[in-house]
Amino acid sequence: MLIRLVLPALVAILLAAGPAGAQMARTEAPAAPKDGTAKAVPLSRTDIQLSFAPVVKRAAPSVVNVYASHVEKRSTARASAMEEFMRRFFGEPESGRGPRGDRAQRSLGSGVLVDADGLVITNNHVIDNMNEVRIALSDRREFEATIVLRDTRTDLAVLKLKEAPKGLMPMPFGDADALEVGDFVMAIGNPFGVGQTVTQGIVSALARTQVGSADYQYFIQTDAAINPGNSGGALVDLRGQLVGINTAIYSQSGGSHGIGFAIPVGMVKAVVDAARDGASVVRRPWLGARIQSVTPDIADSMGLDHPTGVLVASLQPKSPADEAGLKRGDLILSVDNQEVADPEAFGYRFALKGVQGLTRFGILRGTARQTVTVKLAPAPETRPRDVLKVRTRSPFQGATLVNTSPAVAEELQVDFPAEGVAVQAVDETSIAGRLGLQKGDIIVAVNGVPVATTKDLDRVTRNTLNSWEVVINRNGEIMTSVFGG
């Protein structure tokens, strides 16, 4: 509820401030400190009229509303007598049903025009599991859109207007690496579905990790108010350029508490470029090495002033890391002169390099600093995946499994080589989901029989058994579980 009693009190305060304000205008400006960083009150009408409005006028037409839905077609048969009774006498809402009784799930978010031909970037979670998408421009015109690319690892998706009108105003990409803590930024989106809204704040932190909304943990943190519905909207600098896509908030109530997170524009650009090239997936470079963070003890043993960089823990033969001459124990400090402080920062910087050309790592080997050149290439598919969807009654019913390879390991973010069969997906409502099988698990053996391929697992699961002993490699930890038949 809006409380109008606030307004008279506010007016009284402003009026009371009038004489003081007038006296302030007649006072001479304070002398500037010796370091030249003077803070001063506004002394002219021009100073008082300073506004973010010009930036908003440039950026706002590029921000759109995204309406997504998943419609399940249902029979045209008349609703049951009980359904009709509930609707007529208890007011059961019909908003979730179409004209033929179709069931519909709906999602509301924001997006940003990044191309004059109608490409829109948004969060993948806005359109996740949806099959119909509409885009509303800032002038309220609406258009149907197709889903061009989904990238679950970054929580980004690219849409395209089916009949893009002329005169679209794409938002130019800015430079997230140029941001500093304390810089002004604005968030533009459609919070709570109330319509396009602009909020302003500062960059409150950079390179935030452990947010948990994507595989690549490297976020811009801002105190600009971001609320449900802002997902996929723009984080804009004072040049009106896109520096991030708003994707998550930290909140205990569901509302904004002044801690919002945005995906940096560098990652956004990589996903958009993949869509422009006609790709259905984003290809990222493969290193072929397992890395770990640097603890204070490791930093002290290496003579570092503080923990920084990532340590090479192991290498895969004939991988780009191996061919570049990296060795176990090397400390990677930078990627093309961009400092990396932890595995998340390294993963972000390396992922932006694409799958062609070369990149250079600054490393510390012993006490000597060196530079190594690493070839950029995608992870190879060393053997067919042979996808297996288990439908017979077993602990794997409802799971999708594939043969392991560097490409599969890269997609699932697991270490390779890993003997066994990888879990690519799990239906949470299935037996496998209820038993706790997880995406990325590696099935090593079943009832004492080693499982090297999906064909091995298929043979084992054809029989109905009273009990199942399953050996799983989960994040490098070997677990043995026994399940009933």
Side-chain angles (χ1 to χ4, degrees):
M1 179 183 293
L2 296 176
I3 303 176
R4 295 193 175 192
L5 293 177
V6 177
L7 184 57
L10 180 60
V11 172
I13 293 170
L14 292 176
L15 291 175
Q23 179 64 34
M24 186 179 297
R26 292 193 295 270
T27 304
E28 292 184 3
K34 293 181 180 180
D35 61 2
T37 58
K39 294 182 179 179
V41 297
L43 300 178
S44 68
R45 181 178 295 274
T46 302
D47 289 344
I48 295 172
Q49 292 177 336
L50 290 176
S51 170
F52 293 109
V55 181
V56 175
K57 287 179 180 178
R58 288 196 298 270
S62 304
V63 181
V64 301
N65 297 341
V66 178
Y67 302 97
S69 61
H70 181 90
V71 178
E72 293 182 10
K73 300 299 180 182
R74 300 189 64 188
S75 170
T76 58
R78 185 178 176 182
S80 69
M82 180 58 71
E83 287 177 334
E84 182 67 14
F85 176 82
M86 295 292 289
R87 184 186 68 80
R88 292 181 62 187
F89 293 96
F90 291 92
E92 184 184 18
E94 295 182 282
S95 59
R97 299 180 185 274
R100 299 184 306 277
D102 297 341
R103 291 187 181 274
Q105 296 175 324
R106 293 185 174 87
S107 175
L108 171 66
S110 305
V112 184
L113 281 164
V114 292
D115 190 288
D117 292 331
L119 282 184
V120 172
I121 188 80
T122 187
N123 281 136
N124 183 65
H125 71 255
V126 171
I127 52 101
D128 192 27
N129 295 322
M130 301 299 169
N131 55 17
E132 295 181 6
V133 180
R134 292 188 66 83
I135 301 294
L137 304 182
S138 60
D139 61 9
R140 299 186 180 181
R141 287 182 295 169
E142 291 192 13
F143 300 88
E144 290 187 7
T146 57
I147 300 171
V148 178
L149 185 151
R150 303 173 187 258
D151 189 42
T152 58
R153 295 183 64 182
T154 59
D155 191 22
L156 291 172
V158 179
L159 314 174
K160 191 177 191 308
L161 275 62
K162 288 185 178 179
E163 298 179 1
K166 295 181 179 180
L168 292 177
M169 297 180 61
M171 187 177 294
F173 291 129
D175 183 4
D177 289 335
L179 289 177
E180 295 183 310
V181 174
D183 282 349
F184 280 116
V185 287
M186 287 177 289
I188 308 178
N190 182 15
F192 300 112
V194 299
Q196 191 177 87
T197 300
V198 181
T199 56
Q200 176 267 323
I202 63 168
V203 174
S204 48
L206 293 167
R208 279 296 194 218
T209 61
Q210 308 304 320
V211 175
S213 67
D215 287 350
Y216 293 100
Q217 300 287 307
Y218 197 83
F219 295 91
I220 302 166
Q221 181 180 314
T222 176
D223 68 347
I226 299 174
N227 288 287
N230 271 115
S231 286
L235 189 69
V236 181
D237 64 15
L238 294 190
R239 296 179 180 86
Q241 297 177 328
L242 184 69
V243 292
I245 293 295
N246 299 316
T247 191
I249 59 174
Y250 178 83
S251 175
Q252 295 177 329
S253 66
S256 175
H257 286 183
I259 302 179
F261 302 99
I263 300 169
V265 70
M267 188 63 76
V268 174
K269 187 175 183 299
V271 175
V272 171
D273 287 345
R276 282 176 175 156
D277 291 340
S280 58
V281 296
V282 181
R283 302 174 75 200
R284 296 186 173 88
W286 174 54
L287 181 61
R290 185 168 63 87
I291 59 173
Q292 67 181 61
S293 57
V294 178
T295 65
D297 289 341
I298 293 175
D300 186 60
S301 69
M302 299 186 74
L304 300 173
D305 295 333
H306 61 279
T308 188
V310 293
L311 201 63
V312 178
S314 63
L315 295 151
Q316 298 173 29
K318 299 181 180 180
S319 66
D322 182 40
E323 293 175 353
L326 281 172
K327 297 181 179 180
R328 186 174 180 273
D330 284 348
L331 183 67
I332 303 173
L333 298 171
S334 64
V335 177
D336 282 340
N337 297 320
Q338 293 277 358
E339 182 182 349
V340 292
D342 50 41
E344 288 77 17
F346 173 80
Y348 172 78
R349 294 294 177 193
F350 188 57
L352 294 184
K353 296 303 172 182
V355 293
Q356 293 182 340
L358 304 169
T359 187
R360 290 173 175 79
F361 292 173
I363 69 168
L364 179 67
R365 180 174 293 166
T367 59
R369 290 181 180 261
Q370 303 179 25
T371 299
V372 297
T373 301
V374 180
K375 181 181 178 181
L376 297 170
E381 197 97 14
T382 53
R383 60 175 177 165
R385 300 193 180 204
D386 287 341
V387 178
L388 172 65
K389 294 185 178 181
V390 180
R391 293 182 172 85
T392 56
R393 185 171 181 81
S394 72
F396 312 103
Q397 187 183 54
T400 302
L401 302 110
V402 295
N403 291 329
T404 55
S405 69
V408 169
E410 188 73 12
E411 290 174 15
L412 299 180
Q413 294 293 278
V414 297
D415 290 335
F416 183 85
E419 297 296 330
V421 171
V423 178
Q424 187 180 51
V426 179
D427 180 355
E428 294 181 358
T429 64
S430 67
I431 293 176
R434 293 196 297 270
L435 292 178
L437 207 63
Q438 298 179 12
K439 177 181 177 180
D441 284 348
I442 307 296
I443 310 303
V444 178
V446 176
N447 291 334
V449 179
V451 175
T453 68
T454 55
K455 291 180 180 179
D456 294 338
L457 187 61
D458 185 34
R459 281 193 294 268
V460 172
T461 56
R462 287 178 183 177
N463 300 319
T464 301
L465 302 175
N466 293 326
S467 66
W468 300 80
E469 182 187 78
V470 182
V471 181
I472 298 173
N473 179 342
R474 179 174 293 171
N475 298 323
E477 180 182 355
I478 304 299
M479 306 183 302
T480 301
S481 300
V482 178
F483 304 106

